[in-house]
Amino acid sequence: MLKSLRPFLLTSLAVGALMGASAGQASAAEDRISRDQVLAIPNKATAEWTPIGGFQVQLRYGTYNGTQYAWAKLDNYPSDRQGSIWLESSSNSGETWATRTIYSTTVSNFTDGIITRSSSSFVMRACYRGPETNKWCTDKW
């Protein structure tokens, strides 16, 4: 009887190991998506915005492949103006900030997307600095 159970037990162990391996290999969401992927998001929304003269810096968000991402965007930005736009995040409710993605406005008026987090201590904001020395940022979100 033990000899007849042995192939069954070995097969069951092998199938269990394969199922565990394939479950563990499920791909997690990417931490960052490209600007092309941001453009592909169908339902974009603005979380926060700050006016700067005739244009505004915005913190935008949307869902890509089932995961929510946020990015910085300039709206109504004059094509002859130069500056930088970037996205910052904080894991301590905004006590300290880390720059996550930055672009010259001569390259783009929006950034890559960064995955959002459900933790209340994780916040993000969009920032802009033009030819003057002022830095403008949205409220944290």
Side-chain angles (χ1 to χ4, degrees):
M1 173 129 172
L2 287 177
K3 283 187 175 183
S4 63
L5 281 177
R6 185 174 180 192
F8 171 76
L9 290 174
L10 289 175
T11 302
S12 296
L13 287 172
V15 168
L18 286 173
M19 288 178 71
S22 63
Q25 291 173 354
S27 63
E30 298 174 60
D31 185 49
R32 177 183 302 238
I33 59 173
S34 71
R35 291 181 306 136
D36 287 340
Q37 291 167 314
V38 166
L39 282 175
I41 294 173
N43 297 316
K44 301 170 184 78
T46 301
E48 297 289 339
W49 62 275
T50 297
I52 307 166
F55 63 99
Q56 44 181 253
V57 61
Q58 300 177 341
L59 177 64
R60 308 222 49 204
Y61 67 95
T63 302
Y64 183 80
N65 283 344
T67 301
Q68 187 179 61
Y69 292 89
W71 60 93
K73 180 183 185 295
L74 292 172
D75 194 39
N76 296 320
Y77 189 72
S79 61
D80 61 343
R81 188 176 171 103
Q82 294 186 355
S84 298
I85 184 169
W86 66 94
L87 185 65
E88 294 181 344
S89 67
S90 171
S91 57
N92 55 15
S93 301
E95 289 181 36
T96 58
W97 294 94
T99 300
R100 299 294 305 272
T101 181
I102 186 168
Y103 281 95
S104 163
T105 57
T106 59
V107 174
S108 180
N109 67 344
F110 66 99
T111 67
D112 294 347
I114 303 298
I115 194 169
T116 62
R117 308 272 191 264
S118 59
S119 168
S120 61
S121 62
F122 183 83
V123 292
M124 303 175 101
R125 67 184 182 185
C127 298
Y128 165 81
R129 184 182 317 258
E132 61 283 317
T133 58
N134 294 340
K135 170 184 171 182
W136 287 276
C137 294
T138 63
D139 287 338
K140 63 185 178 184
W141 175 73

